[in-house]
């Protein structure tokens, strides 16, 4: 599996953007409302433009503040480009206010992680009307006509989740298991793609009778508290749930908390995504079946390279396209490769620098880390 993680780096190195990757791997920062700055000028010509980035929240996943912000800052500082990174904290009105401030403040490139396609489109339309180059970061804004899209292959993410749940059920020798779904936010196009991926694996098993389709809910705004309430209702409705397809680690942890209350943790496989420290700890403890690792540094660096080139007035090349299902347009895109993580290769995420041993191997998890070969 280490080879699989390394292949992400190899793919990233092959991007035809004509720029050098930037960034580092120091520890995450605390959530902050905004970060602005620029590195000292160098002998090379300074970029003419300023880059704005709007992150979505810090509640749905820890990654936005602990990883994405950090890696974007490092890349922009290394390039000596002016930047402004802000987090909308899940507030659609605040998202638009931040965008207006950035546009008024003179950004020439705007990268957004939308809260939903409607809000995202309104922001992208305003930016494009001012001649500002636009990038959809991680989530495609349907109908938004961004100049570029950078993400992971999200259908492949979902497929890994479906395959992971199937593997864990097979390992548990489950017979005709009842499968529950905790899908991501119904307003997030990525959640739709994840579901397409895991449905491609699980639906044939439902159709054949090998698995039984159980309760299904989409979790508004990826809210973990709501996920816990929804899963408790699912378990009340169907007490024999034998597997949970949770779309990310936060939703998975919400399900695990309910399973613990019912002494079912470790007996019912639960999936995840994002390789958060909490998700990896749940895997080490045997309460979570697997997660999907998306090397956020690669995504942030690819986005930074595009943004820096655009700020310099260049027109960088993407490596492919994705179809906007609302406009039927092909959006220039950079798509990276996700990796499935199980107990035996949690150590690869640590070795890759995404999660540190210090944050993962705390308290009772120290012994579990040693057992898992994390050094």
């Amino acid at each position: 599996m280490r080879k699989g993680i390394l292949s992400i780096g190899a793919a990233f190195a092959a991007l035809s953007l004509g720029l050098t990757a930037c960034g580092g791997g120091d520890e995450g920062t605390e959530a902050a409302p905004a970060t602005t700055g620029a590195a000292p000028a160098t002998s090379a010509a300074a970029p003419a433009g300023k880059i704005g980035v709007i992150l979505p929240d810090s509640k749905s996943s820890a990654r936005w503040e602990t990883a994405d912000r950090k890696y974007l800052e490092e890349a922009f500082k290394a390039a000596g480009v002016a930047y402004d990174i802000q987090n909308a904290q899940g507030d659609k009105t605040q998202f638009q206010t931040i965008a207006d401030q950035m546009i008024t403040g003179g950004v020439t490139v705007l990268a957004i992680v939308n809260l939903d396609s409607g809000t995202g489109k309104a922001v992208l339309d305003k930016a494009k009307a001012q001649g500002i180059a636009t990038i959809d970061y991680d989530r495609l804004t349907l109908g938004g006509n961004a100049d570029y899209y950078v993400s992971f292959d999200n259908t492949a993410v979902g497929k890994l989740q479906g395959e992971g749940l199937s593997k864990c059920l097979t390992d548990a020798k489950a017979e005709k298991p009842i499968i529950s779904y905790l899908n991501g936010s119904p307003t997030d196009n990525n959640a739709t793609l994840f579901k397409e991926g895991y449905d491609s694996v699980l639906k044939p098993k439902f159709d054949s009778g090998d698995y039984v389709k159980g309760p299904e809910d989409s979790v508004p705004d990826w809210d973990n508290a709501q996920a816990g309430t929804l899963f408790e209702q699912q378990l009340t409705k169907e007490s024999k749930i034998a597997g949970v397809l949770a779309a990310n680690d936060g939703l998975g942890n919400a399900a695990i908390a309910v399973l613990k209350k019912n002494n079912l943790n470790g007996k019912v496989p639960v999936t995840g995504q994002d390789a958060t420290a909490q998700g990896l700890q749940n895997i080490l403890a045997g309460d979570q079946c697997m997660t999907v690792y998306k090397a956020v540094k690669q995504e942030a660096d690819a986005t930074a390279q595009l943004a820096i080139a655009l700020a310099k007035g260049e027109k960088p090349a993407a490596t492919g396209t994705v179809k906007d299902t609302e406009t039927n347009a092909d959006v220039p895109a950079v798509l990276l490769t996700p990796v499935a993580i199980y107990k035996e290769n949690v150590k690869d995420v640590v070795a890759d620098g995404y999660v540190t041993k210090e944050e993962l191997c705390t308290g009772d998890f120290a012994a579990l880390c040693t057992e898992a070969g994390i050094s």
Side-chain angles (χ1 to χ4, degrees):
M1 289 303 299
R2 181 63 181 163
K3 181 179 179 182
I5 291 182
L6 288 174
S7 69
I8 299 175
F12 176 69
L15 295 179
S16 57
L17 301 178
L19 296 166
T20 302
C22 310
D26 55 345
E27 294 185 12
T29 58
E30 293 295 322
T35 306
T36 60
T42 65
S43 57
K50 180 179 181 181
I51 299 167
V53 180
I54 309 178
L55 300 176
D57 58 54
S58 55
K59 186 169 68 171
S60 67
S61 177
R63 62 166 282 192
W64 303 115
E65 288 294 338
T66 62
D68 296 82
R69 179 187 290 273
K70 172 180 67 172
Y71 294 135
L72 289 166
E73 284 179 355
E74 290 171 350
F76 295 148
K77 286 178 181 178
V81 65
Y83 64 91
D84 182 4
I85 303 174
Q86 298 196 45
N87 192 315
Q89 298 299 352
D91 186 321
K92 295 175 186 178
T93 300
Q94 181 66 6
F95 191 97
Q96 295 195 11
T97 299
I98 291 170
D100 289 343
Q101 292 170 346
M102 288 183 173
I103 291 169
T104 303
V107 299
T108 57
V109 182
L110 181 63
I112 68 167
V113 186
N114 72 54
L115 294 174
D116 61 58
S117 285
T119 307
K121 182 181 186 312
V123 165
L124 293 176
D125 285 348
K126 283 183 181 179
K128 293 175 83 69
Q130 297 297 318
I132 296 169
T134 55
I135 301 172
D136 269 332
Y137 180 46
D138 195 74
R139 299 173 183 170
L140 182 66
T141 301
L142 297 178
N145 296 310
D147 295 311
Y148 294 92
Y149 171 53
V150 181
S151 189
F152 285 79
D153 184 331
N154 294 307
T155 305
V157 169
K159 186 176 180 183
L160 289 177
Q161 291 174 316
E163 290 171 346
L165 184 59
S166 181
K167 174 184 182 299
C168 293
L169 289 167
T170 299
D171 291 346
K173 297 181 171 56
E175 296 184 8
K176 296 188 181 300
I178 298 172
I179 308 302
S180 152
Y181 276 17
L182 281 175
N183 304 317
S185 174
T187 59
D188 181 356
N189 186 59
N190 280 3
T192 301
L193 297 175
F194 301 148
K195 188 176 186 303
E196 285 179 8
Y198 48 77
D199 273 345
S200 72
V201 176
L202 298 178
K203 189 176 183 301
K205 294 182 180 293
F206 296 142
D207 292 343
S208 69
D210 291 336
Y211 292 178
V212 177
K213 182 67 181 293
E216 176 174 3
D217 287 289
S218 294
V219 182
D221 301 321
W222 294 91
D223 186 277
N224 297 333
Q226 290 192 62
T229 300
L230 290 168
F231 183 69
E232 196 144 29
Q233 292 169 354
Q234 289 186 359
L235 196 59
T236 299
K237 179 180 178 181
E238 177 50 77
S239 63
K240 295 183 179 179
I241 288 173
V244 182
L245 196 301
N248 76 358
D249 289 345
L251 305 188
N253 188 66
I256 289 167
V258 175
L259 291 171
K260 284 181 177 178
K261 288 198 300 183
N262 291 274
N263 296 313
L264 292 172
N265 57 303
K267 301 173 186 176
V268 177
V270 179
T271 65
Q273 177 186 175
D274 291 333
T276 62
Q278 182 181 67
L280 296 175
Q281 287 176 338
N282 283 335
I283 291 173
L284 292 173
D287 293 334
Q288 184 168 325
C289 158
M290 57 84 68
T291 188
V292 178
Y293 174 46
K294 301 183 296 185
V296 173
K297 184 177 187 304
Q298 306 296 343
E299 187 179 21
D301 282 352
T303 301
Q305 288 189 37
L306 284 170
I308 292 163
L310 290 166
K312 293 179 178 179
E314 300 170 5
K315 188 173 177 59
T319 54
T321 61
V322 295
K323 183 74 69 177
D324 183 331
T325 56
E326 189 166 304
T327 64
N328 211 37
D330 290 324
V331 183
V334 176
L335 298 179
L336 302 168
T337 304
V339 178
I341 299 296
Y342 301 88
K343 192 169 187 176
E344 59 266 24
N345 64 327
V346 166
K347 61 181 179 294
D348 290 346
V349 181
V350 179
D352 214 41
Y354 183 66
V355 172
T356 67
K357 179 182 177 182
E358 288 70 27
E359 62 184 319
L360 181 64
C361 304
T362 58
D364 294 340
F365 294 104
L368 294 173
C369 282
T370 299
E371 289 175 17
I374 298 168
S375 57

